Amino acid sequence: MWIIERLVFRYEGEILKRGNIRRIVEIGGSLYIALPKSWTKTYNVKKGDLLYVTLDSSGNLIISRMPSTTMNKVTIYADGLIKERLIAAYLKGYDVMEVRFKGMADEERGLIEEASRFLVGLEIVGEERDRVILQCLGTDNIDVHCLMKRMIHLTRSMINDALSAICDGNIDLSNLVIQRDDKVDRLYFLVVRHVRRLVYNHEKLSSYNLTPLDLMDFRLFAKIVEEIADYCEKLSQDYIMLRKKGRGVPDELVEYIRDSKDDMVRYFDDAVKSFFNKNLELALSTRIGLDKLRKDLSKLYDTEDVIRVLLLAKVDSMIGLIEDITDLSA
């Protein structure tokens, strides 16, 4: 991986602070600066190497090492956390993952195959007695914007269907919501992988007209959307559990959900628009609507029914997470 090194040139009198401020010198009519020695030594930058130079939206000059053309590889030693270690390596942007072990058990093989099914593009490309090689294929050229749009579309449908299932008494629809959550999770991991790789590829980052700060917002936004989908899944699971126990949802809660369902979907849409368009006015009006939904919901908490409280808490959490999206609109 390669590291972005920011060199911001600002006039600050005669004060020079080693490592982040460099004096500009003129040689033969051209202006030059010396690269920090610690940086060139740490990242083995030598005479004749190519560096990538660009400007960010604030006019700061950014100097980056060129991305490596070789695939990043990591070796993982088998233990009880094989799946978790593969997910971590995937999120860090590794292209090739080698799992080493002493005699592979069926359980270990199952965990490796489970990870490859769960992580988009990760395939087993080699297998020997003491190791398995996995490689991430066909994901490098996917637009992160397209991934996020797909996440948004799926989560929007989950909000609508999770609430509609309760209004209509439709357990089959609740089960479909639960199944859809896996798709959102897979997209979320792929978004995180791409965001982290873009941090180290400034050329591609510039081609998307994005800044490192934009990537931080994207990562947080994607996490919030993924959590909303998780609460849709949990709400559907609680509803199915309630029905299996032969119990129904209280009429006043069904009435609240029926009256607020369309508003909640609309506020989710508006929160997303306010984030991508950086529309503070839309964000504020959306928060006002969400605050009203939450206030009306709080009136239903006057109960000792544990299941009812669980359902209310899931809906309340969904509203709160949609509000969190509006916080990113500034």
Side-chain angles (χ1 to χ4, degrees):
M1 292 185 178
W2 54 298
I3 306 298
I4 295 176
E5 175 77 6
R6 288 179 174 272
L7 298 175
V8 182
F9 306 132
R10 294 185 182 138
Y11 177 74
E12 294 190 14
E14 297 298 320
I15 300 176
L16 291 178
K17 185 176 180 182
R18 181 178 298 178
N20 57 24
I21 296 180
R22 297 279 154 166
R23 187 186 297 278
I24 299 174
V25 297
E26 183 175 358
I27 302 176
S30 297
L31 300 179
Y32 296 86
I33 63 164
L35 295 173
K37 186 175 181 179
S38 60
W39 181 70
T40 59
K41 184 177 180 180
T42 299
Y43 300 108
N44 196 30
V45 177
K46 305 180 297 297
K47 178 182 177 180
D49 287 351
L50 297 177
L51 297 176
Y52 187 74
V53 181
T54 188
L55 292 174
D56 68 13
S57 58
S58 299
N60 298 320
L61 184 66
I62 300 175
I63 300 177
S64 312
R65 292 195 301 145
M66 296 296 289
S68 172
T69 57
T70 60
M71 290 188 294
N72 297 309
K73 179 179 177 180
V74 64
T75 299
I76 299 170
Y77 293 94
D79 57 16
L81 300 175
I82 293 178
K83 181 180 177 182
E84 290 76 10
R85 297 191 191 283
L86 285 172
I87 291 175
Y90 179 89
L91 295 180
K92 289 179 180 178
Y94 285 104
D95 299 303
V96 179
M97 304 163 207
E98 179 186 40
V99 181
R100 288 187 170 273
F101 36 73
K102 296 180 179 179
M104 181 171 53
D106 291 340
E107 182 179 356
E108 292 172 327
R109 169 74 189 196
L111 290 172
I112 293 172
E113 290 185 346
E114 185 178 340
S116 69
R117 289 194 300 269
F118 186 69
L119 300 172
V120 177
L122 188 63
E123 300 290 343
I124 297 174
V125 296
E127 184 175 343
E128 299 177 12
R129 184 178 59 84
D130 60 346
R131 66 174 184 163
V132 169
I133 306 294
L134 300 99
Q135 184 174 338
C136 199
L137 305 171
T139 63
D140 286 345
N141 295 322
I142 299 176
D143 188 341
V144 68
H145 291 93
C146 293
L147 295 175
M148 294 179 71
K149 286 180 181 178
R150 180 60 178 158
M151 275 189 71
I152 292 164
H153 174 75
L154 283 171
T155 301
R156 183 186 190 277
S157 70
M158 289 176 70
I159 296 171
N160 183 75
D161 291 349
L163 298 175
S164 295
I166 295 175
C167 294
D168 302 336
N170 191 337
I171 291 182
D172 291 337
L173 187 57
S174 294
N175 279 315
L176 289 176
V177 171
I178 294 170
Q179 294 172 19
R180 227 172 294 163
D181 185 60
D182 283 343
K183 296 180 181 179
V184 176
D185 288 342
R186 296 175 77 230
L187 286 169
Y188 169 68
F189 283 132
L190 186 54
V191 167
V192 173
R193 175 181 170 85
H194 272 275
V195 165
R196 296 184 73 157
R197 286 171 71 93
L198 281 174
V199 169
Y200 299 111
N201 191 332
H202 199 77
E203 183 176 6
K204 184 171 286 188
L205 184 63
S206 297
S207 71
Y208 289 143
N209 196 28
L210 296 173
T211 67
L213 182 59
D214 292 329
L215 293 183
M216 291 176 61
D217 286 346
F218 276 11
R219 170 72 185 271
L220 184 54
F221 172 82
K223 180 59 179 174
I224 294 172
V225 172
E226 188 266 340
E227 288 182 352
I228 293 173
D230 282 345
Y231 274 105
C232 291
E233 178 194 30
K234 293 173 183 176
L235 178 64
S236 298
Q237 290 171 336
D238 286 349
Y239 174 64
I240 291 173
M241 178 180 66
L242 188 69
R243 289 290 302 275
K244 285 183 176 179
K245 291 184 176 181
R247 300 176 58 186
V249 179
D251 292 341
E252 59 268 33
L253 180 54
V254 173
E255 182 179 355
Y256 168 84
I257 291 175
R258 182 175 288 113
D259 292 341
S260 62
K261 174 175 66 69
D262 291 342
D263 286 336
M264 196 176 302
V265 173
R266 176 167 57 85
Y267 291 142
F268 175 76
D269 290 340
D270 289 344
V272 170
K273 290 177 184 176
S274 72
F275 168 71
F276 282 107
N277 298 330
K278 299 303 178 185
N279 188 330
L280 186 57
E281 290 77 13
L282 180 58
L284 291 175
S285 65
T286 301
R287 287 187 68 90
I288 291 173
L290 290 168
D291 287 342
K292 183 180 184 304
L293 286 183
R294 176 167 276 176
K295 183 178 180 180
D296 292 341
L297 183 66
S298 66
K299 299 175 183 177
L300 303 177
Y301 269 100
D302 186 19
T303 178
E304 296 181 356
D305 188 333
V306 175
I307 299 297
R308 177 173 166 179
V309 170
L310 287 175
L311 293 174
L312 290 169
K314 302 301 187 304
V315 176
D316 190 43
S317 295
M318 290 162 60
I319 295 173
L321 287 166
I322 296 173
E323 284 185 340
D324 289 344
I325 294 176
T326 65
D327 290 338
L328 299 175
S329 302

